[in-house]
Amino acid sequence: MVSTTRTCFMLACLQVLLLTSAAEELCSAQEEATRGPSNLLQVAERKTSMDNVSETQSQSLDGPLRDGLSVIRVPKTGSSTMRLVDLRLGSLYGLNKFDEDHYKDAENGSLAFEDLAAEVAPPYCYAEHGKRKSRDQVLRGFMPEAAMVSLVRDPRQLCMSKYYHIYAGEDPNATVNDETKLDWIMNDDSCTGEYITQYLELADNSTPDEILEIYNFIGVNERYNESLVALKHVLQLNLSDVLYVKMRDSSSACNWPVGNTEWVPVVHTPLEEESAAVRQALDEKNWTRDERLVEAASQKLDSVIAAYGPSFQD
């Protein structure tokens, strides 16, 4: 397989440039928290739409995303960061946002394509949580030829990440210990072993290959930089198009989103440092369906890298 070290290093260096230019805005957002609620996601969304638009946007009608872009966001796979990539691509290629409010209005019949198109012209970019099966009819009605993209993650990691984010993060009085972790592993739907598969499939009991077939690209969380470079090739983008600001870092404490008193980020214990009881409970679960999907997505990523050969690094 072609080495991707140089490419990922280049992407990391380009990220530094983006992060440097965004740093003052992010710090300003933290200062604004003393004067009223603010949200780093809003600041980051603004950042994705500010710079370097005109040259690429002039090519948008004939560009790689001329039919739109839809990101199916599986929770806790790095999808918040991917949402920013989607918004940045929308800004660069002249896509208007099809957001959650649009989706809900369309789902209940109060928004028709003609109405939205009269207000905000297609093509659209979409990046929200919601299972593909339940959302496909609406998305295909408004974005019938849009590129479909998603991310997957090791299911054990996802299960525990959701525990720290939802259970521990949303309740400031939550007790974080083995008892609550074991209860989470036993009962939460993210720990069933087919959570990711059911999120992405269109038909029940789809195989990994059948799921991969209905997406233009599915990246792998554990190979995030490689995945974005591969996405760049698959969608015929520029490397600078897939720059990203990491939205959350669970290895350290933070106050994101600024001013939000309902969600307090909790530092995640690395999986290998969880107690023996927690690791045993995870090992006893049947993760087969999701593990096979992650493995298939990783193999597909390898095949994309191999197919482009040395040019993958360009």
Side-chain angles (χ1 to χ4, degrees):
M1 184 177 70
V2 177
S3 172
T4 62
T5 302
R6 185 166 69 90
T7 302
C8 291
F9 176 74
M10 290 170 59
L11 183 59
C13 290
L14 288 169
Q15 282 176 245
V16 170
L17 296 176
L18 179 61
L19 285 167
T20 299
S21 64
E24 292 184 0
E25 287 187 63
L26 298 176
C27 290
S28 296
Q30 292 177 329
E31 292 174 1
E32 288 172 12
T34 63
R35 298 189 294 272
S38 183
N39 190 317
L40 284 182
L41 180 57
Q42 294 172 353
V43 175
E45 287 181 359
R46 289 202 306 269
K47 182 62 187 171
T48 65
S49 62
M50 287 176 59
D51 304 318
N52 304 320
V53 175
S54 57
E55 180 180 351
T56 309
Q57 202 169 46
S58 65
Q59 305 171 3
S60 61
L61 292 178
D62 297 318
L65 298 178
R66 60 185 175 275
D67 297 317
L69 175 63
S70 180
V71 178
I72 302 299
R73 294 178 56 204
V74 182
K76 308 314 301 171
T77 59
S79 68
S80 292
T81 298
M82 192 62 173
R83 181 172 185 266
L84 293 187
V85 174
D86 177 82
L87 293 173
R88 177 176 174 80
L89 290 172
S91 174
L92 291 171
Y93 287 91
L95 311 179
N96 285 309
K97 186 163 65 171
F98 185 84
D99 59 23
E100 188 67 8
D101 289 337
H102 291 137
Y103 171 81
K104 290 178 179 178
D105 289 343
E107 186 180 37
N108 65 31
S110 63
L111 178 67
F113 175 81
E114 294 78 9
D115 299 327
L116 181 62
E119 176 187 349
V120 184
Y124 303 113
C125 60
Y126 165 89
E128 303 292 345
H129 293 307
K131 292 183 178 180
R132 172 75 184 273
K133 188 186 303 181
S134 64
R135 301 207 160 203
D136 194 66
Q137 183 175 353
V138 169
L139 293 178
R140 288 305 180 188
F142 285 79
M143 309 166 60
E145 302 298 329
M148 299 291 294
V149 174
S150 192
L151 286 164
V152 295
R153 183 182 188 180
D154 176 271
R156 293 173 177 80
Q157 297 281 1
L158 186 151
C159 168
M160 295 309 298
S161 178
K162 201 159 179 271
Y163 166 84
Y164 285 106
H165 181 82
I166 301 298
Y167 171 79
E170 291 188 350
D171 181 1
N173 299 314
T175 302
V176 178
N177 58 23
D178 277 9
E179 182 179 356
T180 58
K181 291 176 183 179
L182 293 174
D183 181 72
W184 180 272
I185 293 168
M186 290 298 298
N187 297 301
D188 192 73
D189 65 347
S190 66
C191 307
T192 60
E194 53 184 3
Y195 176 75
I196 307 170
T197 301
Q198 291 180 344
Y199 216 95
L200 296 180
E201 66 186 0
L202 269 178
D204 292 342
N205 301 314
S206 294
T207 66
D209 286 342
E210 289 170 339
I211 293 173
L212 292 175
E213 185 66 26
I214 60 174
Y215 290 84
N216 295 78
F217 183 75
I218 294 181
V220 179
N221 173 277
E222 288 79 7
R223 302 174 64 183
Y224 212 95
N225 281 357
E226 285 179 289
S227 293
L228 286 181
V229 176
L231 178 67
K232 169 255 184 188
H233 282 285
V234 170
L235 298 184
Q236 301 175 30
L237 307 171
N238 301 308
L239 186 60
S240 60
D241 294 347
V242 294
L243 294 175
Y244 66 91
V245 178
K246 189 174 183 181
M247 288 305 299
R248 300 189 180 103
D249 184 354
S250 61
S251 65
S252 59
C254 63
N255 60 342
W256 192 96
V258 176
N260 186 337
T261 59
E262 297 180 355
W263 184 72
V264 181
V266 176
V267 177
H268 295 201
T269 300
L271 200 60
E272 62 274 12
E273 296 179 15
E274 294 283 5
S275 71
V278 169
R279 285 184 279 112
Q280 180 178 347
L282 289 168
D283 287 342
E284 290 175 352
K285 299 282 288 191
N286 182 1
W287 305 99
T288 302
R289 287 200 76 202
D290 281 350
E291 284 183 328
R292 286 177 176 171
L293 177 58
V294 174
E295 181 181 3
S298 188
Q299 290 174 351
K300 186 68 176 288
L301 176 57
D302 288 339
S303 68
V304 170
I305 294 171
Y308 283 96
S311 67
F312 184 78
Q313 302 184 44
D314 296 334

